[in-house]
Amino acid sequence: MTLVQARGVAPPGLVHGRRRRLAISLVVLTLAAVVVVTVLWPRPGTAGFTGVTVAVPGCPASAQGCLVVATDASAATQIAHEGWSGAATTLSLVLPAGRYAIAAEGCGGDTIPATTVTVTSGFHTVVDLGTYWQMPGFLGRVCPG
């Protein structure tokens, strides 16, 4: 018995081979994309925004709102701040290159002591302020809003 292949119809083994090659190609491209994203994702010491990323603990309800404050280390002037309340979070402050004291303050007097960091142009620094609030750091502070 002789099998005759119709014109324009691929043999079944050839179709499955193409599908297998296509599936393998898609897996390889997906893995390559994951590697590229992992390598290029901004993190401390890599190019990205200029400033600091600050990991802050939960803001106590008694603090009545909290602020992360960036103060110019040489001039002792406040450059930037970002507020939060509730659970622990991560905040980003865009700052020009320089040395900064990064601290947290609660409107009710709580504080987290400053950490001094150096910010390089085109890069960001990660600061972890920990979990320990000191009280009272200052009294009679007027908070925004």
Side-chain angles (χ1 to χ4, degrees):
M1 173 171 183
T2 306
L3 293 174
V4 178
Q5 181 69 36
R7 288 181 166 220
V9 177
L14 186 59
V15 172
H16 293 298
R18 285 183 187 161
R19 287 183 185 159
R20 187 177 305 120
R21 284 191 298 274
L22 178 62
I24 290 171
S25 296
L26 288 174
V27 168
V28 169
L29 287 174
T30 302
L31 289 174
V34 168
V35 168
V36 167
V37 167
T38 302
V39 169
L40 297 178
W41 194 262
R43 60 183 156 272
T46 62
F49 73 93
T50 302
V52 294
T53 300
V54 185
V56 293
C59 179
S62 63
Q64 304 167 6
C66 297
L67 291 174
V68 165
V69 178
T71 305
D72 184 320
S74 61
T77 56
Q78 182 178 324
I79 302 297
H81 69 273
E82 184 72 31
W84 89 100
S85 62
T89 189
T90 301
L91 305 170
S92 295
L93 298 173
V94 176
L95 302 167
R99 286 184 52 81
Y100 298 95
I102 309 296
E105 304 172 349
C107 293
D110 305 47
T111 63
I112 296 178
T115 299
T116 303
V117 297
T118 300
V119 175
T120 305
S121 183
F123 296 88
H124 66 279
T125 303
V126 174
V127 176
D128 185 356
L129 291 181
T131 60
Y132 181 69
W133 285 95
Q134 295 178 1
M135 186 176 167
F138 48 92
L139 298 173
R141 177 168 189 262
V142 177
C143 291

